[in-house]
Each structure stands twice: as C-alpha cells, then as structure tokens.
C-alpha cells in the first residue's frame, strides 16, 4: 500500500515537473523581453535596443516552423516559435511608435513604393524595385515590417515546398534556423560596441537570455533533439556571456561614446 502511494506521489511530481518544464520552454523565451518592453515604454526611448534582434528571431522561428514540415520535432518547440514571432512583432510595433514619436522630422520610409503621403500603391513589381537598402529594417511604419515578414515567409515556404523531398535541404534548413537564432545576441553585441556603452539595454533581459538559453540547451540535450539545436544553443550561450562581459567592461572602464551613440540622455539603464 505504501509503495503504491509512493509511486503515485512520484508520478504526480514527475507530471508537475514536466508541465513546468513545458511552460518554461514555451513562454521562457518571451520573459526576457518584458523588462525591455517596460523600459522602452517608461523612457520613450528605443535607441538602446537593437530591432535587428527582432529580425533575427523572426527569421529563425519562421525557418524553424518550416523545418518541422521536413523533420518532426516536439510540438512545444512549435508553440515556442509561434509565441516568439508574436512577441517580436509587438516589440517592433512599440519601437516603431516610439522612434517616430520622438523624432518629428523622421523621414517616411516604406517597404512598398508610394506616390503620395496618404495613398499607397500596392504594386508587386514596385515593392522590390523601389526597395531602399539604406533604410532596411529602419522603416517608419509597423505595416512595412509586417509586409517584409510576410514576403519572406511566403518565399521561404514556397522554396521549402519545392525541395521538401531533399534530405540535404531539410537538414540545411534546420541548421540555418537554429544558427540564425544562435546569432540572436550579435546585433545587440554590435550595438553596444558602436555605442561604447550598454545604456538603454535592459541588463535583466540579457540575464534572462543567458539563463533561458542555458536551460534550453540542456533541454535539447536531455530530449535528444536534432544536433543542430543543441550545437547552436551552446553558441548562443557564448554570445550571451560576451554581452554580459560588455556590461562589466563598459561600466568599469567607461569610454568616449561614438557620435552616433544613444542620443536620449533621459534613457535609464535597467538594473
């Protein structure tokens, strides 16, 4: 009788741990962006946060979803990708609104060509021919980001459909997805290097990146996920620690900022 009770307790505990781990996998990647989102809303300054982080995660998670059509992986990871895509779009929307609101003289930049300020002409051939690479991912409207993401998704989906029977293509797609995600911190790393400081970047966000990526990599190893997942997970952890080193270095050895550094002195460093 006691053995049966003990087995039930162990089974219940195992189920609880499994649910907690599943929740951490699905929502854990979103949590680091909560303090950054709050900092941007509070200071009305998005200069310290690189929106290229959003670009990296959008590309990585879209490719990961497409990879699942060629090679099955856990449904939890699929939901993780869907939720992360939604989160990055929310971050982009906030950053775009803040950037436009803080600069009244911002030049309007569009992913689609326009003939006047109020009316867009949605012509597919002009959508790409009039694309200005100098303003890539620096547009003044959230709609442009949505159009870019949609164009990338449709193109990638079509290519995946054509080569879905190729094992080499599928494995390469999976590697590209996780390798892109592994490069998540590099835009922020470069932004900090340009600014010669980490002002405006949420340190809480980076700490959560590090803990989350460490947990995620361990999860990949324990669940025997495809080798692409845990290999790039280790690389991602390395980038996280490099950013944390920047926080230490620039706070201990302050340097003269570059001319294009953070221009809003009212932005506060997250503690």
């Amino acid at each position: 009788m006691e053995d049966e009770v003990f087995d039930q307790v162990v089974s219940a505990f195992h189920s609880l741990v499994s649910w907690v781990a599943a929740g951490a996998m699905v929502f854990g990647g979103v949590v680091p962006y909560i303090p950054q989102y709050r900092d941007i809303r509070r200071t009305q300054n998005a200069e310290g946060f690189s929106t290229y982080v959003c670009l990296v995660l959008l590309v990585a998670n879209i490719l990961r979803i497409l990879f699942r059509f060629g090679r099955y992986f856990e449904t939890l990871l699929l939901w993780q990708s869907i939720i992360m895509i939604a989160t990055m779009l929310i971050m982009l929307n906030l950053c775009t609104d803040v950037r436009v609101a803080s600069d009244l003289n911002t030049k309007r930049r569009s992913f689609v060509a326009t003939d006047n300020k109020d009316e867009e002409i949605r012509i597919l051939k002009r959508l790409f021919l009039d694309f200005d690479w100098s303003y890539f991912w620096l547009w003044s409207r959230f709609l442009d980001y949505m159009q870019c993401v949609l164009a990338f998704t449709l193109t990638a989906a079509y290519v995946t459909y054509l080569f879905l029977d190729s094992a080499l293509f599928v494995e390469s797609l999976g590697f590209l997805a996780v390798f892109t995600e592994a490069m998540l911190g590099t835009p922020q790393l470069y932004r900090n290097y340009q600014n010669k400081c980490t002002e405006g970047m949420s340190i809480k966000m980076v700490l959560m990146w590090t803990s989350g990526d460490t947990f995620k990599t361990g999860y990949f190893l324990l669940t025997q996920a495809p080798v692409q997942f845990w290999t790039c997970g280790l690389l991602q952890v390395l980038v996280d620690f490099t950013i944390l080193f920047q926080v230490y270095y620039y706070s201990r050895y302050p340097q003269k900022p570059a001319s294009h550094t953070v221009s809003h002195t009212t932005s506060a460093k997250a503690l």
Side-chain angles (χ1 to χ4, degrees):
M1 183 65 179
E2 292 181 355
D3 291 341
E4 292 181 359
V5 173
F6 178 76
D7 290 341
Q8 291 177 355
V9 172
V10 171
S11 178
F13 179 76
H14 178 74
S15 299
L16 177 62
V17 172
S18 298
W19 277 102
V20 171
M25 280 301 300
V26 173
F27 297 102
V30 174
V31 174
Y33 298 96
I34 296 177
Q36 183 68 73
Y37 183 92
R38 295 178 63 184
D39 285 346
I40 294 174
R41 285 289 299 269
R42 175 174 54 85
T43 62
Q44 288 297 295
N45 176 19
E47 293 297 325
F49 176 72
S50 174
T51 54
Y52 286 100
V53 169
C54 301
L55 173 62
V56 169
L57 279 176
L58 285 169
V59 171
N61 284 281
I62 290 170
L63 293 180
R64 183 196 284 186
I65 292 174
L66 296 176
F67 174 58
R68 194 173 190 266
F69 288 97
R71 182 172 179 182
Y72 178 83
F73 54 80
E74 284 192 283
T75 305
L76 288 177
L77 298 179
L78 175 63
W79 279 108
Q80 181 194 52
S81 294
I82 294 173
I83 293 174
M84 182 59 72
I85 289 173
T87 302
M88 290 303 99
L89 292 177
I90 292 173
M91 289 293 296
L92 276 175
N93 189 26
L94 173 65
C95 291
T96 304
D97 290 344
V98 168
R99 186 171 63 243
V100 172
S102 62
D103 187 1
L104 298 178
N105 295 321
T106 298
K107 179 181 179 181
R108 296 190 63 194
R109 300 179 287 265
S110 299
F111 182 69
V112 294
T114 61
D115 284 350
N116 57 61
K117 295 183 178 180
D118 300 319
E119 183 179 357
E120 292 181 356
I121 300 178
R122 301 173 182 273
I123 302 177
L124 184 61
K125 64 180 181 180
R126 298 184 65 186
L127 183 71
F128 297 100
L129 291 178
D130 293 340
F131 191 92
D132 191 343
W133 283 100
S134 63
Y135 290 135
F136 178 74
W137 213 249
L138 295 172
W139 303 301
S140 302
R141 303 176 311 164
F142 176 65
L143 177 63
D144 298 318
Y145 293 96
M146 289 294 297
Q147 291 169 339
C148 181
V149 171
L150 181 60
F152 172 79
T153 302
L154 293 177
T155 303
Y158 180 69
V159 173
T160 302
Y161 173 76
L162 292 178
F163 297 97
L164 194 58
D165 294 333
S166 171
L168 177 62
F169 173 81
V170 171
E171 293 301 324
S172 299
L173 180 65
F175 175 78
L176 183 61
V178 292
F179 181 77
T180 303
E181 185 175 0
M183 295 294 101
L184 164 66
T186 53
Q188 192 64 56
L189 186 73
Y190 183 66
R191 170 64 64 88
N192 296 341
Y193 174 76
Q194 280 187 314
N195 293 342
K196 302 302 181 184
C197 72
T198 57
E199 183 179 357
M201 181 194 72
S202 173
I203 300 177
K204 290 180 181 178
M205 178 187 70
V206 180
L207 289 173
M208 290 180 182
W209 273 357
T210 307
S211 59
D213 292 339
T214 302
F215 171 82
K216 179 176 64 178
T217 303
Y219 181 87
F220 289 156
L221 290 170
L222 292 175
T223 57
Q224 297 182 341
V227 64
Q228 300 102 317
F229 282 62
W230 61 263
T231 302
C232 292
L234 292 174
L235 179 60
Q236 199 167 356
V237 172
L238 177 63
V239 174
D240 294 339
F241 276 107
T242 304
I243 295 177
L244 289 176
F245 175 76
Q246 283 184 320
V247 174
Y248 165 79
Y249 182 82
Y250 289 133
S251 61
R252 188 173 180 84
Y253 305 102
Q255 301 185 29
K256 183 179 179 179
S259 59
H260 54 270
T261 190
V262 181
S263 60
H264 297 75
T265 58
T266 58
S267 64
K269 181 186 294 185
L271 299 178

